[in-house]
Amino acid sequence: MSQSSEVHREPGRERLGLLRVRDDVIALHAMRWPDEIRSPEELLPPPVELSDEEIDGALALMASMTREDLEGEEFQDTYTEALGQIIEAKREDREPPKLQEPESKPGQIVDLMAALNESVQQARAARGEDADVHELPKKTAKKTTKKAAKKAAKKAAAKKTSGRRPRSA
């Protein structure tokens, strides 16, 4: 089969397309109009002047953050290994292996209010102030009265009939 080109249409656009035949596949390449192509110079960052001290500082920072000891169980990619086992099992039409759930370490439950109160006491003690912290009173839900309910209903009704007329077309 020979190469051919034709225009295919998208909603609201017209595009030039190139159909190519490769072995037993027909591929459509969407061609771009000149105004759709950006110049690569637009993508370049602006030139920056760096001093030798800045470069040395950046290299020192990278060296301090580099680790050579990336061996051990904490750096093992168990997800990729488990996914590989599942893919291999499906490829061989057998049941995927049952994988163990990782042992979850029980986390410490932190009472945030107690931690905050302790922090406030320590800060006050460090400043030499009285370090007594009192609990805040619990808020109680207010009971709505009939008068308050009527007032709210009147306000809502007043908003609905605001006196403005809708514009006609």
Side-chain angles (χ1 to χ4, degrees), residues 111-125:
D111 181 8
L112 293 177
M113 283 306 292
L116 178 63
N117 287 337
E118 183 180 335
S119 173
V120 169
Q121 286 176 350
Q122 289 174 356
R124 285 186 177 172

Side-chain angles (χ1 to χ4, degrees), residues 27-142:
L28 171 67
H29 298 278
M31 306 302 285
R32 302 280 180 193
W33 298 106
D35 64 329
E36 294 178 317
I37 300 173
R38 293 194 313 181
S39 170
E41 286 85 30
E42 294 176 21
L43 304 175
L44 291 175
V48 177
E49 292 292 323
L50 295 175
S51 67
D52 290 337
E53 295 157 354
E54 290 174 321
I55 293 172
D56 291 341
L59 292 173
L61 178 63
M62 288 190 309
S64 70
M65 297 176 79
T66 303
R67 290 185 63 175
E68 298 295 329
D69 60 336
L70 295 179
E71 298 295 324
E73 197 167 305
E74 67 180 293
F75 298 109
Q76 188 175 4
D77 186 7
T78 56
Y79 176 79
T80 304
E81 291 173 5
L83 187 60
Q85 290 175 359
I86 291 171
I87 291 170
E88 190 63 33
K90 286 189 176 194
R91 191 178 289 156
E92 296 172 358
D93 290 327
R94 60 181 169 85
E95 189 68 26
K98 298 291 180 195
L99 301 174
Q100 292 180 350
E101 289 291 321
E103 294 180 19
S104 60
K105 299 174 184 172
Q108 181 181 2
I109 298 174
V110 178
D111 181 8
L112 293 177
M113 283 306 292
L116 178 63
N117 287 337
E118 183 180 335
S119 173
V120 169
Q121 286 176 350
Q122 289 174 356
R124 285 186 177 172
R127 290 191 306 249
E129 296 177 10
D130 182 20
D132 290 336
V133 177
H134 303 287
E135 291 292 322
L136 293 174
K138 302 271 184 188
K139 290 187 177 182
T140 58
K142 294 182 180 180

Side-chain angles (χ1 to χ4, degrees), residues 158-166:
K159 280 186 179 179
K160 287 182 183 175
T161 59
S162 64
R164 288 183 59 201
R165 294 175 142 184

Side-chain angles (χ1 to χ4, degrees), residues 1-29:
M1 197 177 239
S2 64
Q3 283 191 12
S4 67
S5 63
E6 66 179 65
V7 175
H8 72 278
R9 296 185 186 275
E10 293 178 11
R13 295 196 70 140
E14 185 174 289
R15 276 236 152 110
L16 182 64
L18 174 66
L19 289 175
R20 284 190 176 169
V21 177
R22 300 274 185 186
D23 298 325
D24 58 345
V25 176
I26 298 175
L28 171 67
H29 298 278

